[in-house]
């Protein structure tokens, strides 16, 4: 039996590597989803990519819960997937438990407001950690706070640069995020 494709909205703010990785997983048949909407907190390479690929795209620096609700209703969105989205999202009640994020560190450490991208890797190196990784978690109203679903881990080398660590963690993200999303969607349809 082929699994139904879950309509998702992907929220972005930056380069769009995570967005493109999700599409690659979808195209490979590993993630039973369809990106029906991309929302950017600003115009950025991720939103340009979405427009070029014919995906409905909205740029919205600030949105109330009611506006998010209206947008996802209009596009028939079942899950919201954050992919490098740098704003706090007002989550409508109807979407509680169906908003997911990936963080480039091992939460609950190295999370919170202002902790994103290379800032996380820099902090991990400065703290002398020997291990880092990434975390897929549900999103609630506090930055990097919702229930942790799964983590992937890698070593931090003694002579690591921020760049080298970022690349190692991002490679983990590319495997972890689509796999965990596929599992979540499967569980949700089985319920
Ligand atoms: C990733 O490091 C991810 O952990 C975080 O945003 C970064 C990806 O940004 N949430 P982008 O996909 O390159 O815009």
């Amino acid at each position: 039996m082929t699994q139904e494709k879950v309509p998702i909205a992907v929220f972005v703010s930056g380069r769009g590597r995570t967005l493109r990785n999700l599409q690659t997983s979808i195209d490979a048949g590993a993630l039973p989803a369809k990106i029906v909407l991309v929302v950017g907190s600003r115009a950025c390479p991720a939103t340009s990519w979405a427009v070029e690929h014919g995906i409905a795209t909205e740029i919205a620096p600030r949105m109330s819960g009611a506006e998010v609700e209206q947008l996802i209703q209009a596009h028939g969105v079942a899950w919201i997937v954050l992919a490098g989205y740098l704003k706090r999202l007002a989550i409508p009640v109807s979407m509680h438990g169906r908003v997911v994020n990936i963080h480039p560190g091992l939460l609950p450490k190295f999370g919170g407001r202002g902790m994103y991208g290379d800032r996380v890797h820099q902090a991990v190196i400065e703290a002398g950690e020997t291990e880092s990784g990434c975390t897929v978690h549900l999103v609630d109203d506090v930055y990097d706070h919702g229930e942790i679903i799964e983590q992937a881990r890698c070593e931090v080398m003694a002579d690591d640069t921020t760049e080298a660590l970022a690349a190692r963690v991002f490679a983990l993200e590319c495997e972890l995020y689509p796999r965990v999303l596929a599992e979540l969607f499967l569980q949700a349809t089985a319920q």
Side-chain angles (χ1 to χ4, degrees):
M1 196 180 79
T2 42
Q3 202 190 330
E4 240 174 71
K5 284 187 179 287
V6 175
I8 63 173
V10 182
F11 280 52
V12 297
S13 299
R15 283 183 277 179
R17 294 169 307 154
T18 308
L19 170 65
R20 283 180 273 130
N21 180 57
L22 292 174
Q23 187 60 59
T24 301
S25 298
I26 291 170
D27 293 342
L31 177 60
K34 179 174 166 48
I35 302 171
V36 295
L37 174 67
V38 166
V39 180
S41 62
R42 57 187 177 201
C44 55
T47 54
S48 304
W49 180 90
V51 170
E52 279 160 24
H53 287 76
I55 300 169
T57 305
E58 294 280 337
I59 314 271
R62 197 156 280 129
M63 259 187 301
S64 67
E67 285 165 334
V68 175
E69 174 74 31
Q70 207 233 336
L71 199 53
I72 58 164
Q73 290 280 348
H75 292 272
V77 170
W79 286 75
I80 293 178
V81 176
L82 306 190
Y85 186 66
L86 297 180
K87 291 270 176 174
R88 204 167 67 185
L89 182 66
I91 303 172
V93 178
S94 69
M95 292 303 286
H96 280 181
R98 283 190 289 129
V99 183
V100 193
N101 183 40
I102 188 158
H103 180 79
L106 295 173
L107 292 174
K109 279 176 149 184
F110 306 107
R113 194 184 167 86
M115 281 300 257
Y116 60 86
D118 283 351
R119 294 185 190 192
V120 176
H121 306 302
Q122 183 76 43
V124 167
I125 290 170
E126 278 169 11
E129 298 284 324
T130 54
E131 186 181 60
S132 191
C134 51
T135 305
V136 176
H137 64 97
L138 292 179
V139 179
D140 61 16
D141 292 331
V142 182
Y143 277 109
D144 298 329
H145 175 265
E147 182 194 332
I148 291 174
I149 307 190
E150 200 172 318
Q151 297 183 309
R153 292 163 190 274
C154 63
E155 215 180 316
V156 179
M157 312 293 181
D159 58 351
D160 250 341
T161 59
T162 305
E163 218 174 30
L165 181 57
R168 199 173 310 121
V169 171
F170 190 70
L172 291 177
E173 291 184 34
C174 287
E175 189 279 325
L176 184 72
Y177 209 12
R179 180 169 59 74
V180 170
L181 288 171
E183 285 164 11
L184 284 173
F185 298 164
L186 192 61
Q187 281 166 19
T189 38
Q191 273 166 10

